[in-house]
Amino acid sequence: MRLANPLGAFVARDTPLARIDARVKIALLLAAAIAVFATGISWAFLAWIVVLVLVCRTARLDVASHARSLLPVAFILAFTLAANALALDGHGDIALVGPVGIDTAGGLRGVVAVARIVVLLGLALSVSASTTPPQLADACVSLLSPLARFKVPVADIGLMLSLALRFIPIVSEEFSRIQLAQRSRGVDFERGGIVARVSSWASVLTPLVVSLFRRAERLGESMEARCYAGGDGALITLPPLTCRDRVVLVVGVLVAAAIPLAAWLV
């Protein structure tokens, strides 16, 4: 049975975002991450949601894909919101039961924290879905190349990043395959208490870890057979940015700087 592509994996489509240089996308993702954490006002995240929707449109990704991406972190999002909104000392603005109440200021902080996670996760998925793993690895090596003057092993870092990016969809597919196999054997991951559910997921994680060690061992043997020693790899030279890439980079940086600046001024 053919499994669906892992969420965030590269999708071969000729989209506007896919035609942008990977170095520009990584630089703008870093700029957006800094700007998102610099934005502290809840209403300003409406602008970030608009930016996220526009990026998804240029990558031709639907909202349902990003909604599914939030399922693995749904518990974290709910816990973050509840931990900020609930007041247990009787000083909540809205009383619930006994000393338990809702703190509106804390609730707004929770909304901001959740919005940060949603925006950053959506932007990261858009970049990964529109960029191949080799392009991401080569772009990171190119951006880190100035550190080679300070004896930083940039080539080895690029190799590790390339291997990690290639193994992410493999691990995700292996996880889904093992989970389906355990379901077919009658394992129920939704029933029972915490101990029972942890035991159920152990039947998936244990063979997954064993499989990862086997893959790592085979990979090490392959690299040793090819006489890879590390440290002597030549840095990749990428072509210069096109005029379109430069314009996208400048506009993206300006937008990333304008949103927190506007929130701070207002």
Side-chain angles (χ1 to χ4, degrees), residues 27-38:
L28 290 181
L29 181 60
L30 293 176
I34 296 173
V36 165
F37 280 101

Side-chain angles (χ1 to χ4, degrees), residues 44-248:
F45 280 92
L46 294 176
W48 283 116
I49 297 298
V50 173
V51 171
L52 177 59
V53 172
L54 292 177
V55 171
C56 292
R57 295 280 300 205
T58 58
R60 294 179 185 172
L61 297 176
D62 56 353
V63 179
S65 297
H66 287 299
R68 289 196 303 272
S69 68
L70 297 177
L71 292 179
V73 296
F75 175 78
I76 298 177
L77 296 179
F79 178 79
T80 301
L81 186 60
N84 285 274
L86 290 179
L88 305 179
D89 55 359
H91 292 84
D93 300 325
I94 303 175
L96 295 178
V97 178
V100 180
I102 296 178
D103 183 8
T104 55
L108 289 177
R109 289 195 303 270
V111 170
V112 169
V114 170
R116 285 195 179 107
I117 298 174
V118 172
V119 171
L120 291 178
L121 182 59
L123 294 177
L125 288 176
S126 299
V127 171
S128 63
S130 61
T131 316
T132 64
Q135 288 175 339
L136 287 174
D138 293 346
C140 289
V141 171
S142 178
L143 294 175
L144 295 175
S145 58
L147 297 179
R149 299 179 181 179
F150 302 98
K151 305 301 182 180
V152 176
V154 177
D156 293 338
I157 294 175
L159 175 63
M160 291 186 294
L161 180 60
S162 178
L163 292 175
L165 292 173
R166 289 177 182 273
F167 268 85
I168 288 175
I170 295 176
V171 173
S172 179
E173 184 178 357
E174 187 78 8
F175 176 85
S176 299
R177 184 178 290 109
I178 295 174
Q179 184 182 13
L180 289 175
Q182 297 295 358
R183 285 185 184 275
S184 66
R185 294 183 175 94
V187 178
D188 194 341
F189 299 98
E190 284 77 26
R191 289 186 180 180
I194 296 178
V195 177
R197 294 193 181 191
V198 170
S199 177
S200 299
W201 282 107
S203 64
V204 176
L205 297 179
T206 300
L208 178 64
V209 172
V210 173
S211 175
L212 292 180
F213 277 112
R214 289 177 179 173
R215 290 181 182 273
E217 184 178 3
R218 288 196 295 266
L219 178 61
E221 293 175 350
S222 300
M223 295 176 67
E224 184 179 1
R226 290 169 173 80
C227 301
Y228 177 78
D232 298 328
L235 296 180
I236 298 174
T237 302
L238 298 179
L241 298 179
T242 64
C243 181
R244 177 188 58 192
D245 294 328
R246 296 177 186 271
V247 171
V248 171

